[in-house]
Amino acid sequence: MSDVRRARFARLVARALDDLPEEFRERMRNVEIVVEDEPDPGRLREHGELLGLYEGVPLTERRDEPWLPDRICIYRRPIEAMASSPRAQAKIVRDTVVHEIAHHFGISDDRLHELGLGDAE
């Protein structure tokens, strides 16, 4: 896969983060957001198909700090396989980023579905 393609995808993720409402960007703490080509096989066995994954302790469950950094991973190949157009990929990336950041804030999958944000996982 070309470096240009990876860089374009990373820009989609950066744009999705930039488009978050400021109050959410300001409240995000101690979280690393990375792009990987695809989840490792162990993750797939554990979670099934993945577009992104949140690993960490949600802000709602933190009591005493410091915590290790949370990690949000956005998986490039599964998203690219879902759509070939850049516009469609950008929407999937945005939805996936919002979904995983919601987990950082302690919002469950059930609540995301109630809010109409539960399609990306």
Side-chain angles (χ1 to χ4, degrees):
M1 200 55 51
S2 76
D3 289 338
V4 171
R5 198 164 170 183
R6 284 188 178 98
R8 186 191 65 77
F9 191 86
R11 282 192 305 274
L12 292 178
V13 173
R15 199 169 303 134
L17 291 167
D18 289 344
D19 288 346
L20 289 172
E22 187 174 336
E23 62 266 19
F24 289 101
R25 287 194 320 263
E26 289 175 354
R27 292 182 59 216
M28 288 175 58
R29 294 196 329 247
N30 203 23
V31 60
E32 173 188 33
I33 299 172
V34 299
V35 174
E36 291 185 3
D37 285 342
E38 56 192 298
D40 65 58
R43 294 273 183 231
L44 289 174
R45 282 191 297 276
E46 183 179 347
H47 297 281
E49 183 180 31
L50 287 173
L51 303 179
L53 183 65
Y54 168 76
E55 298 175 289
V57 177
L59 294 178
T60 55
E61 296 178 19
R62 295 182 187 186
R63 300 296 174 251
D64 298 317
E65 298 213 27
W67 290 92
L68 291 174
D70 289 357
R71 186 171 192 264
I72 292 174
C73 189
I74 307 300
Y75 298 112
R76 183 182 58 80
R77 284 187 184 147
I79 291 172
E80 288 179 344
M82 290 180 70
S84 58
S85 85
R87 182 171 288 167
Q89 286 178 8
K91 181 180 180 343
I92 296 167
V93 166
R94 182 202 162 280
D95 291 348
T96 303
V97 166
V98 167
H99 181 100
E100 302 309 334
I101 288 173
H103 290 317
H104 173 69
F105 286 107
I107 301 172
S108 70
D109 281 334
D110 290 339
R111 182 66 180 135
L112 282 169
H113 284 287
E114 291 171 11
L115 295 170
L117 300 170
D119 294 336
E121 300 195 27

